[in-house]
């Protein structure tokens, strides 16, 4: 299969530095041996010297090295969801697992076991879909992460190697030199004066920032408003005015103690020509940055394609929704528990319950963690809630049946495919809806945010129903509601967000509705 893209379509976009294609493909320049993002600001190469690749892995497999100016490691990823090809679904899931698994867990046997297929089959399907073998894809991801850490932080090179997933400094130096024809120390501008002797001080790590790029535009303030309405004191802190967001993090790694820490982000102002996110981490999380980085990008939906989303939403929603992001989750278990807490209560009531839950069962951040103001605790681990009694949880102010549902969810968590991100959306919805106390609405909402599923339709949603009926000019039956929402596929999740957003600005969307829609039952927590 020829994985090169047609220059007839790509070269004009390269000349225009069209940000819509950033991360969708890369250009390798034969005269320099370098590959770039479509938005690279250097002088455009001659067309006959260009080779266009759909991924950085393919560009590196063709022996091109990453540009030091546009920095391909910062490009937003292409995230296709809709496909009818089972092999493509398998290859996509394999790539996602390689992106997000801890470095010590990443191997071909572990990948095959996760997917439930043979090593030979996963290698064949992956290579046919992505153009490179799984371990070659993983090597590219590790090298690009290492390049970013070398450029943006003062982590000693030995720690960069381990954080990026290399088993030793010797292997890292050899791979970097082989692929990029450059040593790590030569790449790091000015060098790391501290050398590799000892660890850098905590202050150096706390003040280090990583840059996360995305496709413009970005309605960052709207995303922060959504998160602020649901922020739980002690775990999250959102400052819309300063466009900042901080929260605690729990990372669970196979065979190791949980890693506790915090993340803090600053967003570019709405309307910025080249929006970015600046990321700071607690010192405890830097060694786990390879696992954390894909989750951070999914949490803020940084790999979204705003132009495609606006086109799917149509003229009615498109113009005001351009740049809208789908807030995800750093912790699927936390999201699942809070989704259950929010069933049939207002957003404010769900926040109150979550605050009580954290006060009773949450884990304080370690002393000296240097967390931002307002971030003090980490959400309870599944094992903690699994061991709780119904009376313990019901005493927080909820029915016993809901407390039972929370405990059952925590007990079943290690076996759920939803928790590991395995399988299809349809299978995950069926799995969740089969749990006691969880209905279809909750299952769809958990997939919408926990898996960042862009095409969720929330059956029975009160606000969504009223918005669609208002646009239709009259009542709609259940089948008609589904058909009305289908016009927004494959980005129905964004349509849901936009309709919720519009509803929150209208005190009375429908004369029959006697309460402010900002607190109406049915809006999710």
């Amino acid at each position: 299969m020829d994985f090169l893209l047609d220059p007839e379509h790509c070269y004009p976009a390269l000349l225009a530095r069209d940000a819509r294609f950033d991360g969708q493909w890369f250009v390798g320049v034969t005269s320099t041996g370098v590959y770039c993002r479509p938005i690279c600001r250097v002088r455009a190469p001659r067309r006959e010297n260009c080779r266009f690749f759909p991924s950085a892995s393919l560009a590196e497999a063709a022996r091109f090295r990453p540009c030091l100016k546009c920095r391909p490691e910062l490009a937003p990823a292409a995230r296709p969801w809709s496909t009818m090809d089972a092999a493509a679904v398998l290859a996509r899931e394999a790539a996602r697992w390689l992106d997000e698994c801890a470095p010590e867990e990443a191997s071909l046997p572990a990948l095959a076991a996760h997917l439930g297929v043979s090593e030979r089959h996963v290698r064949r399907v992956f290579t046919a879909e992505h153009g490179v073998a799984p371990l070659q894809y993983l090597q590219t991801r590790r090298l690009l992460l290492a390049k970013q850490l070398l450029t943006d932080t003062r982590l000693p090179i030995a720690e960069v190697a381990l954080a990026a997933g290399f088993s030793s400094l010797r292997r890292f130096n050899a791979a970097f030199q082989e692929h990029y024809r450059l040593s790590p120390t030569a790449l790091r501008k000015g060098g790391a004066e501290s050398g590799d002797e000892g660890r850098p001080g905590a202050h150096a790590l706390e003040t280090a920032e990583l840059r996360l790029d995305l496709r413009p535009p970005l309605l960052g303030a709207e995303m922060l408003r959504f998160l602020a309405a649901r922020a739980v004191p002690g775990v999250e802190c959102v400052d819309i005015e300063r466009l900042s967001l901080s929260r605690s993090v729990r990372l669970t790694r196979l065979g190791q103690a949980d890693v506790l820490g915090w993340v803090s982000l600053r967003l570019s102002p709405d309307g910025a020509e080249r929006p970015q996110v600046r990321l700071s981490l607690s010192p405890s999380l830097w060694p786990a940055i390879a696992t954390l980085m894909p989750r951070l990008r999914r949490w803020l939906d940084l790999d979204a394609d705003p132009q495609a989303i606006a086109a799917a939403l149509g003229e009615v929603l498109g113009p005001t929704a351009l740049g809208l992001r789908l807030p995800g989750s750093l912790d699927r278990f936390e999201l699942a528990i809070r989704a259950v807490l929010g069933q049939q209560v207002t957003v404010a009531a769900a926040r109150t319950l979550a605050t009580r839950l954290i006060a009773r069962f949450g884990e304080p951040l370690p002393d000296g963690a240097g967390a931002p103001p307002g971030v003090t605790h980490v959400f309870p681990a599944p094992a903690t809630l699994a061991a709780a009694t119904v009376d313990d949880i019901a005493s927080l102010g909820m029915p016993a049946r809901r407390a039972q549902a929370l405990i059952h969810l925590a007990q079943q968590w290690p076996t759920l495919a939803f928790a590991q991100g395995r399988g299809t959306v349809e299978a995950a919805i069926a799995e969740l809806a089969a749990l006691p106390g969880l209905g279809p609405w909750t299952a769809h909402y958990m997939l919408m945010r926990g898996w960042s599923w862009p095409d969720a339709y929330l059956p029975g949603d009160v606000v969504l129903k009223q918005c669609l009926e208002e646009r239709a000019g009259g009542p709609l039956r259940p089948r008609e509601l589904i058909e009305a929402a289908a016009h927004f596929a494959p980005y129905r999740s964004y349509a849901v967000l936009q309709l919720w957003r519009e509803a929150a600005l209208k005190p009375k969307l429908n004369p029959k509705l006697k309460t402010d829609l900002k607190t109406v039952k049915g809006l999710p927590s």
Side-chain angles (χ1 to χ4, degrees):
M1 183 184 298
D2 186 4
F3 286 93
L4 286 177
L5 301 178
D6 186 357
E8 288 288 338
H9 297 97
C10 296
Y11 192 70
L14 177 66
L15 294 179
R17 298 186 174 91
D18 195 329
R20 292 177 299 173
F21 300 99
D22 190 18
Q24 305 286 3
W25 47 261
F26 299 85
V27 55
V29 184
T30 57
S31 57
T32 63
V34 168
Y35 74 94
C36 300
R37 298 159 67 180
I39 61 170
C40 191
R41 293 292 175 177
V42 301
R43 188 175 66 180
R46 296 167 62 91
R47 175 171 165 167
E48 58 266 26
N49 293 335
C50 294
R51 303 290 183 272
F52 297 96
F53 301 92
S55 70
S57 298
L58 281 168
E60 295 202 3
R63 307 299 295 168
F64 290 94
R65 61 186 185 276
C67 176
L68 298 180
K69 293 187 179 295
C70 68
R71 301 182 59 190
E73 70 272 16
L74 299 179
R79 286 286 182 258
W81 269 88
S82 299
T83 179
M84 299 299 292
D85 186 347
V89 172
L90 184 71
R92 183 192 67 208
E93 168 61 17
R96 188 206 60 78
W97 187 84
L98 290 172
D99 287 343
E100 297 188 11
C101 72
E104 64 272 12
E105 300 173 22
S107 67
L108 189 59
L111 174 60
H114 171 78
L115 297 172
V117 297
S118 68
E119 294 179 34
R120 180 176 178 275
H121 182 63
V122 70
R123 187 188 299 110
R124 179 179 60 80
V125 169
F126 193 99
T127 304
E129 181 69 19
H130 296 288
V132 294
L135 295 185
Q136 191 173 5
Y137 174 91
L138 183 62
Q139 182 86 318
T140 298
R141 302 294 295 175
R142 288 173 171 173
L143 286 169
L144 289 176
L145 175 59
K147 182 176 179 294
Q148 182 175 8
L149 294 175
L150 288 169
T151 305
D152 290 347
T153 77
R154 286 292 176 181
L155 273 175
I157 292 175
E159 295 192 24
V160 168
L162 293 177
F166 291 89
S167 58
S168 69
L169 180 60
R170 181 183 62 82
R171 287 179 179 272
F172 170 59
N173 283 329
F176 209 88
Q177 184 73 48
E178 178 187 355
H179 282 75
Y180 297 163
R181 299 186 284 283
L182 189 69
S183 70
T185 50
L187 174 68
R188 173 166 272 170
K189 294 182 178 179
E193 286 81 0
S194 59
D196 285 344
E197 296 81 30
R199 295 178 58 86
H203 178 72
L205 284 177
E206 288 171 13
T207 55
E209 283 190 333
L210 287 181
R211 173 180 136 196
L212 308 178
D213 281 5
L214 57 139
R215 300 180 187 93
L218 168 68
L219 291 181
E222 287 299 329
M223 178 169 59
L224 292 183
R225 285 190 186 94
F226 181 92
L227 294 172
R230 294 152 180 82
V232 179
V235 170
E236 303 161 300
C237 186
V238 182
D239 189 330
I240 300 173
E241 197 170 304
R242 297 185 179 181
L243 292 174
S244 66
L245 169 63
S246 303
R247 66 155 295 136
S248 60
V249 175
R250 176 192 300 275
L251 283 182
T252 302
R253 306 180 77 170
L254 188 65
Q256 301 182 31
D258 291 353
V259 179
L260 307 184
W262 53 265
V263 299
S264 185
L265 305 112
R266 290 184 295 109
L267 279 62
S268 298
D270 291 358
E273 181 181 356
R274 295 188 65 182
Q276 297 176 347
V277 173
R278 293 285 179 171
L279 165 69
S280 301
L281 302 174
S282 62
S284 61
L285 292 179
W286 282 104
I289 187 63
T291 302
L292 186 60
M293 182 73 80
R295 301 184 189 187
L296 289 166
R297 296 195 64 87
R298 190 180 65 235
W299 177 35
L300 302 181
D301 199 16
L302 299 185
D303 296 323
D305 187 342
Q307 302 293 341
I309 294 166
L313 299 190
E315 296 180 1
V316 177
L317 300 183
T320 56
L322 185 60
L324 192 67
R325 304 285 160 157
L326 174 60
S329 173
L330 279 180
D331 186 337
R332 289 193 182 110
F333 178 70
E334 176 185 338
L335 176 74
I337 293 295
R338 291 177 61 175
V340 175
L341 288 175
Q343 291 182 135
Q344 302 304 312
V345 299
T346 66
V347 173
R351 270 182 75 176
T352 299
L353 289 174
T355 302
R356 294 172 184 170
L357 186 78
I358 291 161
R360 176 75 63 86
F361 299 102
E363 189 171 348
L365 282 170
D367 292 337
V375 179
T376 59
H377 285 70
V378 181
F379 198 82
T384 301
L385 294 185
T389 66
V390 172
D391 288 343
D392 285 338
I393 296 181
S395 66
L396 302 179
M398 70 187 76
R401 289 188 63 183
R402 184 156 301 166
Q404 290 174 334
L406 292 174
I407 294 170
H408 185 78
L409 176 61
Q411 292 172 342
Q412 294 297 312
W413 190 255
T415 66
L416 294 180
F418 169 79
Q420 285 79 38
R422 296 196 312 265
T424 64
V425 166
E426 294 76 16
I429 289 174
E431 173 189 61
L432 293 172
L435 295 173
L438 271 72
W441 185 96
T442 306
H444 281 75
Y445 179 70
M446 288 165 63
L447 266 292
M448 172 177 152
R449 295 193 58 201
W451 274 15
S452 298
W453 181 29
D455 198 29
Y457 172 75
L458 306 183
D461 186 88
V462 175
V463 178
L464 182 60
K465 178 178 185 294
Q466 293 199 10
C467 289
L468 292 175
E469 287 182 339
E470 183 186 62
R471 294 179 181 281
L476 296 174
R477 289 174 293 190
R479 178 177 294 180
E480 293 171 331
L481 284 169
I482 295 174
E483 291 173 353
H487 293 296
F488 303 123
Y491 295 110
R492 284 180 290 181
S493 296
Y494 295 89
V496 169
L497 284 179
Q498 177 67 358
L499 292 171
W500 282 347
R501 177 185 169 199
E502 290 182 2
L505 299 175
K506 299 177 183 179
K508 292 183 180 180
L509 176 69
N510 187 313
K512 296 180 181 179
L513 190 62
K514 301 301 183 182
T515 184
D516 192 326
L517 279 168
K518 293 180 182 178
T519 58
V520 68
K521 291 182 180 181
L523 279 176
S525 64

